[in-house]
Amino acid sequence: MSYINLKPAFEPPSSIENVIGKKFWRKKSYLGEKERETLYIVEECGVEEFADCKYVLLFFSAGWCPPCEQFLQVLKDFYSEVNIDRKMIEVLYISADKTDAEFKETYAKMPWITYLYSNPHHKALRERFIIEGVPMIFVADAKTGFIITKKGRKDICDLGVSCMKNWEEEEADMLAKVQHLTEGYLHVEDVRMKKEEEENQKAKAEKDGGEV
């Protein structure tokens, strides 16, 4: 007898590293605020960049895209305002630029982290999240990598810093739903295993009874 796998299709990742990796690039620490938003002078960094943050924003964008250019200043203002007292979010630029030169020109305007243009994470994450247009922002929990919403851009444009409260509420609701699905799966799996064991025992008894 065969059984359908009823395991939930979605499972939260165990850590943000499982989603975006561990090695990134940032603007060199000695750069001033203006230089960090105009120059491509970078250094390697790691998960310490968002160790104390609440969210990591996966920012899918490109320099050739006019709406991306228009949204960039909105995102930079949001980034500065949200992090004014302490760092609450980090932004990870995931590029759809067509060349390394275009990528460097685009990232030069950004104060947050990214990958080198040659890093396969750019393409892998675009494919993983089925990115068909830019700009787009997926909001991830900075510890677990749990994707809270893919409407980050709309939330930021519509609500400004108030969207942080919405993300907290959405995350709690989604985690509760995932927990409910997981508990349902575990119950069904328990019933399935018991039924399978009963059938195995019945088959064994029939076999033993038929032997002379």
Side-chain angles (χ1 to χ4, degrees):
M1 180 178 290
S2 61
Y3 293 91
I4 298 172
N5 182 6
L6 295 175
K7 191 171 185 178
F10 176 80
E11 289 184 347
S14 58
S15 71
I16 188 73
E17 292 93 331
N18 290 340
V19 180
I20 61 175
K22 298 180 180 180
K23 292 185 179 180
F24 315 94
W25 291 79
R26 67 181 180 189
K27 298 298 177 64
K28 289 211 170 186
S29 54
Y30 64 75
L31 294 175
E33 184 175 343
K34 184 177 180 180
E35 293 171 318
R36 291 179 68 228
E37 297 186 16
T38 54
L39 301 176
Y40 183 85
I41 302 176
V42 298
E43 61 188 3
E44 192 171 357
C45 63
V47 295
E48 70 278 357
E49 288 300 301
F50 46 83
D52 297 322
C53 292
K54 190 165 184 61
Y55 305 113
V56 175
L57 276 53
L58 311 186
F59 177 38
F60 297 89
S61 185
W64 49 260
C65 162
C68 297
E69 287 289 293
Q70 294 164 10
F71 176 65
L72 179 58
Q73 189 57 54
V74 175
L75 182 57
K76 288 200 287 190
D77 291 344
F78 175 79
Y79 184 76
S80 297
E81 189 172 357
V82 166
N83 292 332
I84 194 166
D85 293 323
R86 69 182 185 90
K87 196 171 185 182
M88 297 288 290
I89 68 165
E90 184 54 274
V91 176
L92 172 62
Y93 174 48
I94 302 162
S95 169
D97 294 296
K98 297 176 181 178
T99 67
D100 182 59
E102 286 183 8
F103 164 74
K104 288 177 178 176
E105 182 179 353
T106 304
Y107 181 61
K109 304 170 187 175
M110 301 179 184
W112 38 72
I113 62 175
T114 188
Y115 305 107
L116 289 182
Y117 182 72
S118 58
N119 192 309
H121 269 96
H122 289 292
K123 182 179 180 182
L125 287 169
R126 292 199 309 269
E127 292 178 349
R128 174 173 181 167
F129 294 111
I130 317 176
I131 302 302
E132 297 179 345
V134 289
M136 181 169 279
I137 287 182
F138 279 64
V139 180
D141 183 282
K143 298 292 186 294
T144 66
F146 181 85
I147 300 298
I148 299 161
T149 180
K150 63 179 182 180
K151 300 188 289 80
R153 175 195 175 195
K154 184 178 187 304
D155 290 344
I156 291 168
C157 289
D158 291 350
L159 302 171
V161 295
S162 298
C163 69
M164 295 281 286
K165 187 176 188 316
N166 283 36
W167 294 344
E168 288 180 16
E169 293 172 353
E170 285 185 41
E171 182 174 19
D173 289 345
M174 290 183 70
L175 286 172
K177 289 177 183 176
V178 169
Q179 180 66 24
H180 179 72
L181 287 172
T182 301
E183 289 172 354
Y185 160 72
L186 291 174
H187 172 71
V188 171
E189 184 68 3
D190 183 56
V191 171
R192 182 191 72 78
M193 292 179 67
K194 287 178 179 178
K195 185 173 180 61
E196 190 175 73
E197 179 63 23
E198 289 172 1
E199 291 179 351
N200 288 340
Q201 289 178 359
K202 182 179 178 181
K204 184 177 183 303
E206 290 174 351
K207 181 180 177 181
D208 293 344
E211 292 179 355
V212 179

